[in-house]
Amino acid sequence: MAEEVSVLISEEDVQKRIRELGEQISRDYEGKTVHIIGVLKGACYFMCDLARHITVPVTFDFMSVSSYGDDTKSSGIVKIVKDLDEPLTGKDVLVVEDIIDSGRTLSHLMELLKGRKPATLKLATLLDKPDRRVTEVNVDYTGFEIEDVFVVGFGLDYAQRYRNLPYIGVLHFTD
Ligand code: IMP
Ligand code: MG
């Protein structure tokens, strides 16, 4: 099947919203250092662009997780594929994710990170599909709420492709 991508959120709109989020985070974390955890691989574009707009000190770490389950449904049992390099004790931690869908992965991950005793723990996501939520997740910063469509670009993939698109697109299958 052939694939086609139509623009959902333009590069300009994505960048404008990320700048706004960066400014809001800079105000909220005044006097602190934000320890940003990027969830690989999807969050890397959002994480780097967001960090550029944060004016308080920033440190980075990365984590890679996969959820057990079939291809279409995540089970919520998170397997750590790559763990963090540093402990979280006493840090002001901001987890950065590309998209929250069912919420299973993130709710499990946030519980796991809470157990590592950060001073504070917040969550930022570029995209949210609230209609798809199965497990409740407390999201502190949201870029855009979107309908239940399959999106690619700006870090999001279909079979590992399209991550490098500078905009958010909807993936269509054509014959
Ligand atoms: P969930 O919230 O546990 O269901 O899983 C969220 C994960 O599913 C995200 O981190 C993405 O990797 C993937 N995902 C969900 N919706 C999309 C989409 O529209 N495009 C690309 N990946 C998606
Ligand atoms: Mg992901």
Side-chain angles (χ1 to χ4, degrees):
M1 251 193 298
E3 298 157 19
E4 240 174 55
V5 180
S6 60
V7 178
L8 180 69
I9 308 168
S10 71
E11 178 175 7
E12 196 188 356
D13 289 349
V14 172
Q15 291 299 341
K16 181 169 175 275
R17 183 70 187 125
I18 293 177
R19 195 182 321 126
E20 287 169 2
L21 288 177
E23 286 164 4
Q24 190 185 344
I25 289 166
S26 302
R27 286 193 295 274
D28 294 353
Y29 286 83
E30 212 180 312
K32 295 177 179 171
T33 295
V34 198
H35 189 61
I36 297 184
I37 295 179
V39 184
L40 295 170
K41 305 168 188 151
C44 66
Y45 291 82
F46 176 40
M47 176 182 186
C48 294
D49 283 350
L50 182 65
R52 263 192 268 269
H53 296 290
I54 297 177
T55 51
V56 298
V58 169
T59 53
F60 280 165
D61 208 343
F62 295 94
M63 196 164 196
S64 181
V65 297
S66 73
S67 70
Y68 292 103
D70 58 40
D71 286 345
T72 54
K73 203 168 134 238
S74 64
S75 64
I77 310 292
V78 171
K79 179 180 155 201
I80 299 178
V81 178
K82 183 226 169 290
D83 205 343
L84 299 169
D85 291 337
E86 290 165 43
L88 299 183
T89 326
K91 291 181 181 157
D92 292 297
V93 174
L94 179 64
V95 176
V96 174
E97 176 62 305
D98 51 2
I99 189 164
I100 300 178
D101 187 34
S102 72
R104 287 188 176 100
T105 311
L106 256 290
S107 66
H108 189 92
L109 183 63
M110 294 303 276
E111 278 308 307
L112 191 145
L113 296 179
K114 205 187 286 176
R116 298 188 185 183
K117 307 275 178 264
T120 60
L121 180 63
K122 286 189 177 187
L123 174 61
T125 187
L126 179 61
L127 302 172
D128 189 0
K129 290 184 192 171
D131 296 347
R132 298 261 304 166
R133 199 69 91 257
V134 172
T135 309
E136 203 185 314
V137 189
N138 188 27
V139 187
D140 300 282
Y141 305 98
T142 304
F144 302 91
E145 286 194 356
I146 60 167
E147 309 275 293
D148 181 13
V149 286
F150 195 83
V151 285
V152 293
F154 221 87
L156 289 145
D157 74 304
Y158 171 66
Q160 297 302 326
R161 288 181 292 124
Y162 301 111
R163 292 191 196 276
N164 58 317
L165 295 179
Y167 55 87
I168 313 271
V170 178
L171 186 70
H172 308 273
F173 293 97
T174 54
D175 285 302

